[in-house]
């Protein structure tokens, strides 16, 4: 320990001042987190919903993720690993084309997230991920649907 | 009789020494029952098959990774306000245990994500904030090791812990803020019970209790070690003077 008295960090402070310092730090942290979260509120989402894509079409060539439910009866297998299907949040539907291996959980009525770009009206995916949760209902997708007030239980939804 | 009496190292040593055998025994029983039950006596899931069994490691480990950081935050704040050395040492002792839980959660998560999502890793908000929490654990331990004066080290690591709490809380609640992520929602909110079938739910609860007690055991042991190490240092210092 040095004998310096000018600045000793928290050690040189009385209890009440230490509490004040911590409270100030907490307030600053919450404010900083809130501001960062607010600034990035759109950028933090992992994927865009079909409605967002339809409402605000991304510039051609932009690579992004689209997520939603695979429309029942929309999966068409082509040559080799080619597959096409439609993804929906029940408000809007976007056709997807993909060539590659699909994850085990991928299926009609299931949640999925695809990475790729728009080519005309079709989303051409380079990677397809399946979403899951323990309820076997894509909770995040369902929440996104609920927010729009159009949520229908995917298991109860009639074949579209 | 106040709870602060246990901040006295002597009292803490006595109490923890008495509590440890019980903690060890309960940990072993709960972990053995929970893991064996989960791995061998639960049915395969209708969608995920037997891959779902990794839940018995992943969910408790991830929960504890976050809870340990919160525990470190509480003891760090107690240190800053009340200057109890045992409190600071408990935070220091908890960090490597928390880091281990974090790494288990990351590893099992990757192993689970590969067959189910189709990827080992995705830059999903929840996964990303959890990864940052991992880095905070490393940084926290490095900071303790980097500063020689124990009180300064305790002060600075406490502040680091406070900052890291942002990511501990984010990785728990990120799914509530940004619903468009890849990771599923909270696995254990109370309304969840109706969604998770009891065959999976009950062994999971036992595993979570087992992981929590494992942490209590480890943190008691490691805090005792830290206290003894500090006593030893004081003894040696006294001997040098004499």
């Amino acid at each position: 320990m040095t004998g310096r008295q000018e600045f000793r960090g928290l050690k040189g402070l009385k209890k009440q001042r230490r509490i004040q310092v911590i409270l100030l730090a907490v307030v600053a942290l919450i404010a900083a987190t809130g501001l960062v979260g607010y600034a990035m509120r759109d950028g933090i989402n992992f994927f865009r919903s079909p409605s967002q894509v339809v409402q605000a079409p991304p510039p051609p060539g932009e690579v992004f993720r689209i997520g939603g439910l695979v429309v029942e009866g929309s999966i068409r297998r082509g040559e080799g690993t080619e597959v096409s299907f439609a993804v929906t949040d029940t408000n809007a539907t976007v056709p997807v084309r993909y060539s590659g291996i699909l994850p085990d959980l991928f299926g009609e009525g299931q949640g999925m997230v695809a990475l790729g770009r728009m080519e005309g009206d079709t989303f051409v995916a380079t990677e397809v991920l399946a979403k899951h949760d323990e309820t076997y209902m894509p909770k995040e997708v369902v929440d996104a649907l609920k927010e729009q007030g159009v949520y229908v239980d995917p298991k109860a939804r009639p074949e579209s | 009789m106040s709870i602060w009496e246990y901040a006295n190292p002597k009292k803490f040593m006595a109490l923890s020494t008495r509590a440890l055998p019980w903690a060890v025994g309960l940990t072993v029983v709960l972990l053995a029952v929970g893991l064996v039950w989960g791995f061998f006596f639960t049915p395969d899931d209708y969608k995920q098959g037997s891959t779902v069994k990794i839940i018995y490691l992943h969910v408790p480990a991830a929960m504890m990774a976050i809870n340990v950081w919160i525990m470190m935050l509480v003891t760090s704040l107690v240190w800053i306000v009340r200057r109890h050395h045992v409190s600071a040492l408990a935070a220091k002792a908890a960090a490597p245990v928390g880091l281990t839980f974090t790494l288990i959660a990351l590893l099992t998560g990757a192993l689970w994500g590969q067959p189910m999502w189709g990827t080992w890793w995705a830059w999903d908000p929840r996964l990303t904030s959890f990864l940052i929490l991992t880095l905070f654990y490393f940084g926290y331990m490095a900071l303790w090791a980097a500063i020689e004066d124990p009180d300064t080290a305790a002060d600075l690591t406490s502040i680091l812990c406070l900052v890291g709490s942002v990511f501990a809380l984010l990785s728990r609640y990120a799914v509530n803020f940004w619903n468009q992520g890849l990771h599923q929602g909270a696995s254990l909110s109370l309304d969840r019970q109706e969604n998770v079938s009891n065959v999976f739910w009950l062994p999971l609860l036992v595993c979570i209790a087992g992981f929590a007690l494992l942490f209590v055991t480890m943190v008691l042991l490691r805090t005792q070690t830290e206290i003894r190490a500090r006593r030893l240092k004081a003894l040696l210092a006294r001997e040098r003077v004499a």
Side-chain angles (χ1 to χ4, degrees), chain B residues 111-135:
Chain B
L111 290 176
W112 199 0
Q114 216 292 322
M116 290 302 120
W117 292 342
T119 183
W120 302 98
W121 178 263
W123 294 101
D124 161 275
R126 188 176 217 186
L127 273 64
T128 308
S129 47
F130 198 78
L131 181 68
I132 297 175
L133 178 65
T134 317
L135 300 178

Side-chain angles (χ1 to χ4, degrees), chain B residues 6-7 9 12-13 16 67-79 84-98 137 140-141 144 150 154 157-158 161 215-228 230:
Chain B
Y6 293 105
F12 175 86
M13 287 301 254
S16 55
N67 290 347
V68 169
W69 193 275
I70 303 300
M71 170 266 177
M72 283 160 58
L73 172 68
V74 171
T75 49
S76 293
L77 289 182
V78 168
W79 155 255
H84 294 310
H85 283 92
V86 173
S87 194
L89 288 178
K92 183 187 182 186
V97 186
Y137 268 115
Y140 180 90
M141 288 162 60
W144 263 110
T157 52
S158 296
C161 185
F215 169 67
V216 170
T217 308
M218 301 285 276
V219 101
L220 286 180
L221 263 177
R222 292 183 50 87
T223 310
Q224 285 196 339
T225 311
E226 293 286 345
I227 292 172
R228 290 195 177 112
R230 196 163 276 192

Side-chain angles (χ1 to χ4, degrees), chain A residues 1 8-11 15 18-19 22 25-26 29 33 37 40-41 44-49 52 65 103-106 110 113 127-136 139-141 143-144 147 155, chain B residues 45-48 52 55 59 77 79-83 112 115-119 122-125 149 151-152 155 159 162-163 166 170 175 178-187 192 195-196 200:
Chain A
M1 289 261 250
R8 298 176 57 231
L10 283 171
K11 287 198 290 288
K15 180 173 172 184
R18 290 200 301 270
I19 295 175
I22 287 302
V26 169
L29 258 182
T33 312
M40 294 170 65
R41 64 199 178 284
I44 283 177
N45 280 334
F46 188 62
F47 60 81
R48 297 179 204 170
S49 66
Q52 284 170 314
R65 284 192 179 83
D104 290 354
L105 274 189
F106 182 88
Q110 297 294 311
V113 177
E127 180 192 50
V128 171
L129 305 179
K131 267 176 67 66
H132 83 91
D133 61 38
E134 279 110 39
T135 60
Y136 310 107
K139 187 173 186 297
E140 281 76 18
V141 175
D143 285 346
E147 265 180 12
K155 285 165 192 146
Chain B
D45 175 72
Y46 82 107
K47 200 85 205 174
Q48 299 189 42
V52 75
I55 197 176
V59 169
L77 289 182
W79 155 255
I80 285 188
V81 174
R82 297 189 61 109
R83 297 318 238 196
W112 199 0
M116 290 302 120
W117 292 342
T119 183
W123 294 101
D124 161 275
D149 177 57
D151 286 6
T152 311
D155 278 346
I159 301 298
L162 183 66
V163 177
V166 170
L170 262 191
V175 280
W178 300 285
N179 56 22
Q180 281 163 305
L182 184 66
H183 198 286
Q184 68 206 44
S187 313
R192 190 81 181 175
N195 297 327
V196 181
F200 300 126

Side-chain angles (χ1 to χ4, degrees), chain B residues 23 26-32 34-35 39 54-65 67-68 97-98 100-105 108 203-219:
Chain B
L26 258 176
T27 305
V28 171
V29 168
L30 283 174
L31 275 184
L35 290 177
F39 284 134
I54 209 162
I55 197 176
Y56 301 109
L57 287 174
H58 180 73
V59 169
M63 268 184 97
M64 287 312 293
N67 290 347
V68 169
V97 186
T100 312
F101 284 135
T102 316
L103 293 177
I104 292 174
T108 54
L204 182 58
L205 281 187
V206 178
C207 282
I208 288 169
F211 268 70
L213 268 163
L214 175 65
F215 169 67
V216 170
T217 308
M218 301 285 276
V219 101

